[in-house]
Amino acid sequence: MTTRDFNRLSTYINNAYGIKMPEAKKVMLECRLQKRLAALNMSSYKEYCEYLFSEQGMTHEMVHMVDTVTTNKTDFFREPSHFDFLTQHVLPELCEGNNGYKEIKVWSAGCSSGEEVYTLAMVLHEFTEKISSTDYHVTGTDVSLSMLAKAVEAVYAEDRIADIPMWLRKKYLLRSRDRARQTIRINAETRARTDFKRLNLMDDTYDVHNKFDVIFCRNVLIYFDKATQCAVINKLAEKLRTGGYLFLGHSETISNMQLSLTPVQPTVLKKLSHQ
């Protein structure tokens, strides 16, 4: 890949998707795009770039390029202290004195293949089944169509569920009838409380319909520069109802940011009434 082709791709990836792509990632980008060159029967990155940025390429290839270059690392019950804080503090606070029916709305932004969405659904179900007047719904969004397809399918290899407690596995997971496949699927009732759609956090506004009680956007901002991180958090805040919470990843810092949310823990922020 020539420097010109790399700069063209990296600039577009950064501007359109917020993903930092410095010179040090050139080899990584080459390796990841090799499969797209093979799929399109192309012999050079120059040829690929010309196609990608053509009208046809922008329509048909761009989604595949994004799927290829994005990092999709996720697990069930990743960073478990967040789910403890959600159960012990956030959910009781949200439901206190609700005086009747309430649906807790949660958004997993950057949900990848869905493990975080279904973890949230399990946690919310365990909490709300004790409160007859309270329901829940979890929305998952991601920029990668291939990851969203996996999330909707909700089928995972058995080795992916090690961090799910056994009693929750028995309650929410279905084993494949073909034991040789060694896969599980999230049960239908839990899947019915979720929805998924494509969303780019670099968009000027976020096309999700609800004001959410809780937003999880964890281990996504680490791929953005500081200015983009701040802009994304403030746009997420616009989708939080007053009193709602935003959870960030434990490796993400908000120091020296002008935010419209108030930190309550190092990676948990709250939208107060005057914000």
Side-chain angles (χ1 to χ4, degrees):
M1 183 183 294
T2 66
T3 299
R4 180 179 181 276
D5 290 334
F6 173 76
N7 289 340
R8 191 177 182 187
L9 287 165
S10 63
T11 298
Y12 180 83
I13 292 166
N14 182 250
N15 290 340
Y17 300 103
I19 301 171
K20 295 177 288 186
M21 195 64 63
E23 181 73 23
K25 292 189 176 181
K26 181 180 176 183
V27 173
M28 180 202 76
L29 185 60
E30 287 178 333
C31 292
R32 292 192 177 186
L33 289 179
Q34 276 285 354
K35 64 180 70 175
R36 295 308 307 155
L37 268 68
L40 296 166
N41 197 27
M42 292 180 177
S43 58
S44 70
Y45 293 103
K46 180 180 179 181
E47 183 182 6
Y48 180 76
C49 284
E50 292 302 319
Y51 173 66
L52 179 68
F53 293 111
S54 69
E55 184 177 349
Q56 183 181 5
M58 293 294 284
T59 302
H60 299 290
E61 175 59 21
M62 192 58 70
V63 293
H64 298 298
M65 188 277 289
V66 174
D67 284 352
T68 302
V69 302
T70 49
T71 300
N72 300 291
K73 172 71 173 74
T74 186
D75 294 295
F76 289 100
F77 286 92
R78 187 180 188 184
E79 300 180 1
S81 63
H82 278 161
F83 300 104
D84 293 338
F85 186 78
L86 181 69
T87 301
Q88 296 167 14
H89 300 282
V90 176
L91 296 179
E93 178 185 308
L94 292 174
C95 294
E96 184 178 1
N98 63 24
N99 296 319
Y101 178 84
K102 177 181 175 65
E103 183 179 55
I104 300 171
K105 298 181 178 68
V106 180
W107 176 16
S108 169
C111 69
S112 189
S113 47
E115 286 90 333
E116 181 175 88
V117 169
Y118 295 119
T119 300
L120 285 165
M122 292 180 218
V123 170
L124 286 161
H125 192 278
E126 288 302 307
F127 182 83
T128 59
E129 71 177 354
K130 303 178 182 69
I131 309 172
S132 60
S133 62
T134 303
D135 205 349
Y136 71 91
H137 190 87
V138 186
T139 295
T141 66
D142 202 87
V143 73
S144 170
L145 288 176
S146 65
M147 289 296 106
L148 289 172
K150 292 180 180 180
V152 170
E153 185 181 27
V155 175
Y156 302 97
E158 287 190 357
D159 61 8
R160 300 285 297 153
I161 66 173
D163 292 327
I164 303 177
M166 183 59 69
W167 64 278
L168 290 178
R169 296 186 208 178
K170 293 178 179 178
K171 189 170 181 178
Y172 296 100
L173 308 184
L174 305 171
R175 289 189 181 275
S176 172
R177 291 178 181 176
D178 180 2
R179 291 304 176 89
R181 295 183 61 191
Q182 296 187 318
T183 59
I184 61 91
R185 192 180 194 196
I186 307 298
N187 67 16
E189 181 183 2
T190 305
R191 299 198 311 272
R193 305 294 185 89
T194 68
D195 72 290
F196 295 90
K197 69 178 298 182
R198 185 175 188 269
L199 185 142
N200 183 358
L201 290 172
M202 292 294 288
D203 291 345
D204 292 334
T205 58
Y206 294 157
D207 183 21
V208 285
H209 299 298
N210 297 315
K211 285 281 190 175
F212 293 92
D213 299 290
V214 177
I215 299 175
F216 272 53
C217 185
R218 305 188 305 163
N219 306 300
V220 177
L221 300 182
I222 54 175
Y223 300 105
F224 301 160
D225 60 33
K226 202 77 168 179
T228 302
Q229 291 175 353
C230 186
V232 167
I233 291 174
N234 284 327
K235 283 185 285 187
L236 291 170
E238 294 174 5
K239 291 296 182 179
L240 270 179
R241 75 165 184 86
T242 299
Y245 287 82
L246 171 65
F247 288 75
L248 304 176
H250 285 139
S251 61
E252 293 162 334
T253 176
I254 57 169
S255 59
N256 301 317
M257 287 190 188
Q258 295 296 317
L259 300 177
S260 58
L261 300 174
T262 298
V264 295
Q265 285 198 344
T267 56
V268 181
L269 299 91
K270 185 176 183 180
K271 186 171 184 177
L272 302 180
S273 57
H274 65 275
Q275 293 174 322

